[in-house]
Amino acid sequence: LAAVLRLYANPDALRHTLPTLRLLTRPRAEIHAAAQRLLPAVQRYLGDAALVEIADCQSQIGSGSLPVDRLPSAALHIVPASGTKRSGSDLERIAARLRALPVPVIARIHAGALWLDLRCLDNDADEAAFLRQLQ
């Protein structure tokens, strides 16, 4: 406990030493830049099954008594490429492919699309590991 409290003695370094605080304070522009780097690889992985775009989103940060707190973020917005006849089963097949990766990737299904919020993809090593498993 004392070690954690000592971290707060240097507030300028706090963001770098506490992973949760780092993720909560991550700027949307930084997350958007990660989406730009990842989009081509995700599109290649999904191939003709889906269309992948970058979209602004809101990361839900609360739970329990505060489930509505949100932070601005960026996501890979994935829709089935099955023409105008998109179905929930198309989305579920794409979601199942992502969950079947060596490190499962969980996306949110909302409004006829998969939303892969990138707020918690924390650093270059996380990005590299994510990209490796798409190959």
Side-chain angles (χ1 to χ4, degrees):
L1 179 62
V4 172
L5 291 176
R6 275 195 295 278
L7 293 174
Y8 286 88
N10 185 358
D12 295 333
L14 195 55
R15 182 180 183 275
H16 302 289
T17 55
L18 292 178
T20 301
L21 185 59
R22 182 173 53 252
L23 295 174
L24 290 173
T25 60
R26 192 169 178 214
R28 194 198 74 72
E30 182 181 301
I31 301 166
H32 191 273
Q36 289 176 315
R37 290 189 299 272
L38 296 170
L39 185 145
V42 172
Q43 184 65 72
R44 276 191 305 277
Y45 175 73
L46 295 174
D48 294 338
L51 301 171
V52 183
E53 299 176 325
I54 298 170
D56 290 335
C57 70
Q58 298 287 313
S59 296
Q60 181 176 324
I61 60 166
S63 65
S65 64
L66 294 171
V68 295
D69 285 352
R70 300 188 188 285
L71 294 173
S73 190
L76 293 179
H77 179 263
I78 304 167
V79 294
S82 53
T84 57
K85 284 187 79 180
R86 295 181 183 141
S87 72
S89 61
D90 293 331
L91 281 173
E92 187 51 47
R93 275 192 291 278
I94 296 167
R97 272 186 81 183
L98 293 171
R99 286 192 309 266
L101 290 167
V103 176
V105 174
I106 309 300
R108 177 173 59 100
I109 295 177
H110 174 72
L114 282 173
W115 293 78
L116 184 56
D117 185 348
L118 300 175
R119 173 168 292 285
C120 291
L121 201 57
D122 189 22
N123 54 41
D124 293 341
D126 287 349
E127 277 189 39
F130 176 70
L131 291 171
R132 272 193 307 277
Q133 70 176 4
L134 296 179
Q135 297 173 0

